[in-house]
Amino acid sequence: MEFLHEIVRNVWVQYDYSGRLEDNLDVLRTEMQELGSRRTDIFIAMNAAEVVHGKKPKVEVSLWLENVQKIIREVTKIEEVYGEVGRDFSLSRVALGKHVVKKIEKVMKLKEKGRFSEGLLADLLPESGRMPTTKLVGRTTAERNLEQIWESLIDNEVKTIGVYGMGGVGKTTIMTHIYNRIKSSGILGTAIWVTVSNDSSIDRLQNGIARAIELDVSDEDDEMRRSVKLFEALKRWGKFVIILDDMWKPFPLEKVGIPEGNAYKVVLTTRSKNVCRGMKCQKKFEVEILSREEAWALFKESFGADVVLSKEVERTAKLVTEECGGLPLGIITVASAMREKDDVREWRNALDELKCSTMEIEGIDDQVFPILKFSYDRLKSERIQSCFLYCALYPEDYAFRDEDLVKYWIAEGLIDAMGDWEKEQDKGHTVLNGLIDVCMLVRKSPMQVAMHDLIRDLAIGITRKRPLFVVKAGMVIRGSIGAEEFTEEVEKISLMRNQIEMLSGEPNCPKLSTLLLQENPLLGNISHEFFNRMNSLRVLDLSKTSIEYLPESVSNLENLCMLLLNGCKRLREVPSLAKLKRLRFLNLNDTGIKEVPDGMECLVSLKELYVSSVEGTNRINDGGCNSLMLPDSIVKLNVDKCVLSSLHCLTRLQHLQSCDIWWCSMKWLLPIGDNSTIIPSFPSIRSLFLLDLPNFMGLCEGVLLPPSFACLKLLSVSGCQVLKNVMSLELFQHLQCLEQISITGCREMEEVIKGGEESDNNNNNIILLPNLRELRLINLGKLKSICKRVIICPSLNQICIRGCHRLKKIPISSGSSTSTVEGEIYGSKEWWDALEWDDPNTKALLLFLNEETVRGMKRKADQVEEVASTSQQQ
């Protein structure tokens, strides 16, 4: 009987697969359409980031795009097979039905993976491309060293090379040029750069190499197993050169996991020739100090090549240069510190200070330290010196985002409180640029800075005395940290990037103002009383840890200004924050919390708030009830993956300048009956991002009073699938500051601007937006109208319209015959020919891309790629 039931069940399942084939195909097509839209949005974001910032997609993003391309081909084949099997029941339909169901599951998983909550783009790491570098100084000496190293590298008999010399002599600069030459020449394969540092171990070295080649070894505690993983991964790279910068002691290559053989070469830089011997380097090169002539040339260049010095000042300046001992780093920092000094007495005093400085710091050469300390002493104030020293809390070769570093300084009280958020930011960036100008920080990218390793050694040396710092960042510390590790005198502690599992006890740290614990992925336990005696704490960073709750003792940190919990995916509970009246930055992004903490309305100093849940269940506002009351002080607000119908509290935020809302359930930004009918809404806002809001119907259900949105510069709306229009004409015509509009992937949108039928008065048919520079309309399949009025945009320089096949008219005019508008419009030839234009000049300036031609080119490219792939497999 059971056998009979099994037969019947199998027959029924087969009929079910066959009978529901058409329905399942419709589901598959819908899922594929949404996947395709997501893919397009990602392409657009990647292209923009590459053009503007030079960033590249993360490896996981590239792999995802490859998988999407693969599944597009697979679904295309399904459609072809469906056309052949027909509608009558057959085993072919059954097999196809099973295939379709499996494919639906695969597409849905790909869609979910395509959210990329950690971002699409990789940081500007040197390993991803050419390394930013300074030009070689000391033309004869440095170039001779570089060419000798290069000749040894291309010698097939040489596998290990050591480059040694005293700190600050220019070893790393030479090797960055070597790195870039390897990248561009291709004759040595690829180049892998790893910064080692003076407190390194085999664990740290393995982790550094793993990060450089994007290999995850975080789940391996055993040194040998990590070594095997690295060995196998590096073998797959084929030919490569691995550069180990700033080694302080030798390591056996086989223990680390670096393979030996004809395809691999190792180059190391070190301050000790003994390390070269210990690493059994076949070739050793000493990077020599600059000659007197080279040193003086570099000093003049750093001081100001066009500055004319009096003879007396020049004589003293040459003596100052000689005191720098031919070290490029020392010469550059001293020259930068003496810029704009023309009084010979100041120069004589500088010479005396350089000669008399005898303070010693472990790990820094006696000759080097006085030179660097001189530049530190020349910083304008103790507060700026403190800003500089703060950078020592982070690992060697750490790249700071300008914006983040300034926030830390503000939270620490190192930037004067001015009562104006923008002015404080400006002051912080001024300090940052000043440190760059005197070469205490170096620019790594348009948005990132770093410390030279020797400058960091100086900062750490200073902070071992007063102010007292404890810096153990990235040292692979494991297990539990108890109260005995913390002292009463310590002011700042950095334990970031370790393998700490638990924080226990009740440390007595009355002076502690910063505690950095981020990127300890195993940290899951903190004792309830841990923060009880840290009354001066201003900065607490627990981001990217595995904590499940925040101890109650955090509730009493009344001086806390910055609390970072982003990336704590297991975090379920945060105690009341009502007492934290000085809190300025709160980041709850990508946590597991289901409700925002109590006491949010009490955070009267809060400037920036980031809230999101990894599960998408964080309840901010339910059913129109004001369950979240935010203080009026907020300047920047990010809300992501939350359950909310609206943010009633937003109309109270008269100082809000930036607002991002992602993947939330809200229908209206400002619902009817809100304070929007009494007071202006968003009078200070400058940028508004609304992304992937499935129920979103518009900015405001009611009428807004001027000057609502009067300062808005950037408006971006994407993936709002039921949105039919963005705003009313009444609101749109008041947005005189608007610079950029981007609307993408809103499949139900019929018009961008609602209302405004043409009138008999020509003046009423015109809207002037003097600052609008960019308009992007992408994948708006039902869009029929941009605006029923003519929009005059004298500043317009970029238009991009794609996937808007029902659009009938472009009501955009620059108002000038000498316009420089650029951009592209993508569609069919018939659609292009039928488009109406209010300004023929604009049409003439745009590039039309015939979609049939583009599709044909893409099909051809795909065929070539498929043939090439097949040939490789064979």
Side-chain angles (χ1 to χ4, degrees), residues 805 807-808 810 824-837 842-850:
H805 306 302
L807 188 62
K808 299 175 181 177
I810 309 292
E824 60 185 37
I825 295 188
Y826 176 97
S828 68
K829 184 68 166 60
E830 294 76 16
W831 172 76
W832 169 262
D833 291 338
L835 265 179
E836 299 177 27
W837 296 79
T842 302
K843 177 180 180 179
L845 291 168
L846 297 178
L847 173 65
F848 168 60
L849 299 175
N850 188 333

Side-chain angles (χ1 to χ4, degrees), residues 803-866:
C804 302
H805 306 302
R806 296 189 186 182
L807 188 62
K808 299 175 181 177
K809 186 176 183 179
I810 309 292
I812 308 293
S813 173
S814 65
S816 170
S817 58
T818 60
S819 173
T820 58
V821 178
E822 295 179 353
E824 60 185 37
I825 295 188
Y826 176 97
S828 68
K829 184 68 166 60
E830 294 76 16
W831 172 76
W832 169 262
D833 291 338
L835 265 179
E836 299 177 27
W837 296 79
D838 277 297
D839 184 359
N841 290 326
T842 302
K843 177 180 180 179
L845 291 168
L846 297 178
L847 173 65
F848 168 60
L849 299 175
N850 188 333
E851 65 180 7
E852 293 301 324
T853 304
V854 172
R855 283 178 186 163
M857 292 170 65
K858 189 175 185 308
R859 280 196 298 270
K860 185 69 174 174
D862 286 344
Q863 290 170 3
V864 170
E865 183 183 342
E866 193 164 352

Side-chain angles (χ1 to χ4, degrees), residues 91-105:
L91 292 177
S92 297
R93 276 179 60 89
V94 173
L96 184 60
K98 290 180 180 179
H99 200 42
V100 168
V101 171
K102 288 180 180 178
K103 206 60 64 181
I104 290 171
E105 292 175 359

Side-chain angles (χ1 to χ4, degrees), residues 21 32 63 75 153 271 321 349 352 372 463 502 671:
L21 176 57
M32 283 299 296
L63 182 60
V75 172
L153 267 175
R271 301 179 194 179
T321 306
N349 180 64
D352 289 340
L372 303 182
T463 59
M502 182 177 180

Side-chain angles (χ1 to χ4, degrees), residues 701-764:
E701 193 177 7
V703 177
L704 295 178
L705 297 177
S708 297
F709 292 96
C711 295
L712 188 65
K713 293 184 177 182
L714 170 59
L715 174 64
S716 179
V717 182
S718 178
C720 300
Q721 302 301 358
V722 300
L723 183 65
K724 293 185 180 294
N725 59 75
V726 179
M727 70 182 82
S728 68
L729 179 70
E730 289 76 16
L731 175 59
F732 183 62
Q733 62 190 359
H734 292 298
L735 306 185
Q736 297 295 288
C737 292
L738 198 60
E739 296 179 1
Q740 294 174 270
I741 301 175
S742 177
I743 318 289
T744 65
C746 301
R747 63 188 177 201
E748 294 297 321
M749 183 170 290
E750 297 177 359
E751 53 186 347
V752 177
I753 308 302
K754 180 183 178 182
E757 300 296 335
E758 293 185 8
S759 67
D760 295 331
N761 187 337
N762 286 336
N763 290 332
N764 290 338

Side-chain angles (χ1 to χ4, degrees), residues 488-501:
E488 291 187 30
E489 296 300 315
V490 69
E491 297 180 29
K492 294 174 180 57
I493 297 176
S494 176
L495 297 170
M496 64 180 289
R497 285 192 181 175
N498 283 299
Q499 303 295 319
I500 298 168
E501 298 174 22

Side-chain angles (χ1 to χ4, degrees), residues 501-515:
E501 298 174 22
M502 182 177 180
L503 298 172
S504 60
E506 188 178 358
N508 182 22
C509 300
K511 297 181 180 179
L512 185 65
S513 61
T514 287
L515 178 56

Side-chain angles (χ1 to χ4, degrees), residues 129-131 133 176-185:
R130 290 179 62 82
M131 182 177 285
T133 188
T176 56
H177 284 271
I178 292 285
Y179 175 94
N180 289 339
R181 189 182 288 192
I182 295 169
K183 284 279 188 179
S184 59
S185 71

